[in-house]
Amino acid sequence: LPSFGFLSSSNLVLNYASVVKGFELWRLFTCFFVYGLGLPFLMNMVFLYRYSTSVERGTFAGRTGDYVWMLLFSSLILILIGFWWPFSTLGKSLILVIVYYWSRTNPNA
């Protein structure tokens, strides 16, 4: 939505002062979905589709709840890491978590 001018990305990124003092809890969720349009966005969506479906159909076959739990736990860890490092968008980091997990479960691919 920020790319189309509907919202300002400064209202969506992770800002801990706004979360704690302003009680803007949506920032804990929306920081994973702030992207600009272009080739990097397209490549991240390809990675997300390719590796996320592979992990869900392979390692977590028939256990979608476990896969969602892994994503939620990884998101929580990324947000906690963001307390020490100033990460304002975490979408790429979550995609890297999925790619890393896929690479560890498929070492010979």
Side-chain angles (χ1 to χ4, degrees):
L1 291 173
S3 296
F4 299 113
F6 293 124
L7 291 172
S8 172
S9 62
S10 63
N11 292 330
L12 302 175
V13 296
L14 187 59
N15 182 347
Y16 290 103
S18 298
V19 171
V20 174
K21 295 178 184 173
F23 206 63
E24 298 176 359
L25 297 178
W26 67 83
R27 291 178 184 267
L28 298 173
F29 177 73
T30 59
C31 66
F32 292 100
F33 302 103
V34 178
Y35 283 101
L37 294 178
L39 187 61
F41 172 77
L42 181 64
M43 292 304 297
N44 283 327
M45 293 303 107
V46 168
F47 286 155
L48 180 64
Y49 176 76
R50 163 112 170 61
Y51 296 109
S52 184
T53 55
S54 178
V55 167
E56 188 177 5
R57 291 179 185 162
T59 308
F60 292 102
R63 300 180 300 138
T64 305
D66 291 340
Y67 183 60
V68 171
W69 177 249
M70 184 197 81
L71 291 177
L72 289 175
F73 184 73
S74 300
S75 300
L76 176 67
I77 295 298
L78 288 172
I79 289 171
L80 292 176
I81 289 172
F83 273 119
W84 289 280
W85 286 287
F87 296 136
S88 57
T89 60
L90 298 173
K92 293 177 186 175
S93 301
L94 188 59
I95 290 172
L96 288 175
V97 166
I98 295 168
V99 172
Y100 176 77
Y101 185 81
W102 178 86
S103 69
R104 297 300 291 175
T105 57
N106 299 294
N108 297 322

